[in-house]
């Protein structure tokens, strides 16, 4: 799907963050980065509607990863010039970003999620 001159692909097959990142790189792409609330809203459109399962959507992996204690990096190397934290960022065990209906939150990189 094209949005703001970028192409996005939703992959519903859940993978760990590292596996999702590898998958994108094999396609010559990167996990999605977001630099505005408008892009967040667009990316949230990929979330599975909770009404289909009677549960909340688990969210999707995006391409932001913590590289050090308080240092973040997008896999596409664009600057981290916007944030939308909906959950805690203090958990040192959780290093990878997921987007859900609340906003951004840290999630265990080893747990599988769909991704964009």
């Amino acid at each position: 799907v094209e949005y703001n001159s970028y192409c996005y692909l939703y992959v519903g097959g859940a993978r760990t963050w590292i596996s999702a990142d590898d998958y994108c790189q094999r396609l010559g792409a990167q996990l999605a980065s977001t630099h505005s609330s408008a892009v967040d809203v667009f990316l949230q459109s990929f979330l599975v509607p909770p009404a289909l399962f009677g549960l909340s959507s688990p969210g999707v992996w995006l391409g932001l990863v913590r590289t050090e204690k308080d240092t973040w990096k997008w896999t596409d190397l664009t600057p981290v010039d916007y944030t939308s934290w909906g959950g805690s960022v203090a958990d040192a065990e959780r290093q990878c970003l997921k987007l859900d209906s609340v906003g951004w939150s840290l999630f265990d990189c080893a747990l599988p999620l769909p991704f964009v």
Side-chain angles (χ1 to χ4, degrees):
V1 176
E2 187 174 334
Y3 180 78
N4 280 353
S5 302
Y6 292 96
C7 191
Y8 296 87
L9 174 67
Y10 170 81
V11 180
R15 294 176 181 249
T16 66
W17 188 92
I18 290 173
S19 176
D21 185 47
D22 288 344
Y23 181 93
C24 291
Q25 288 184 31
R26 283 194 310 270
L27 293 176
Q30 299 289 329
L31 286 166
S33 63
T34 174
H35 302 277
S36 71
S37 60
V39 175
D40 275 358
V41 169
F42 168 74
L43 293 172
Q44 284 172 323
S45 72
F46 290 105
L47 300 177
V48 175
L52 291 180
F53 299 103
L55 305 168
S56 61
S57 173
V60 292
W61 287 129
L62 297 183
L64 191 69
V65 64
R66 183 179 358 215
T67 57
E68 295 175 24
K69 182 178 179 187
D70 290 314
T71 304
W72 299 92
K73 166 183 106 161
W74 287 112
T75 57
D76 65 5
L77 303 179
T78 56
V80 180
D81 54 4
Y82 163 82
T83 61
S84 180
W85 295 110
S88 171
V89 297
D91 188 342
E93 297 301 312
R94 297 180 180 190
Q95 307 294 321
C96 297
L97 175 71
K98 77 167 184 167
L99 174 70
D100 58 29
S101 60
V102 176
W104 298 7
S105 61
L106 293 177
F107 203 64
D108 183 341
C109 303
L111 296 176
L113 286 177
F115 56 98
V116 179

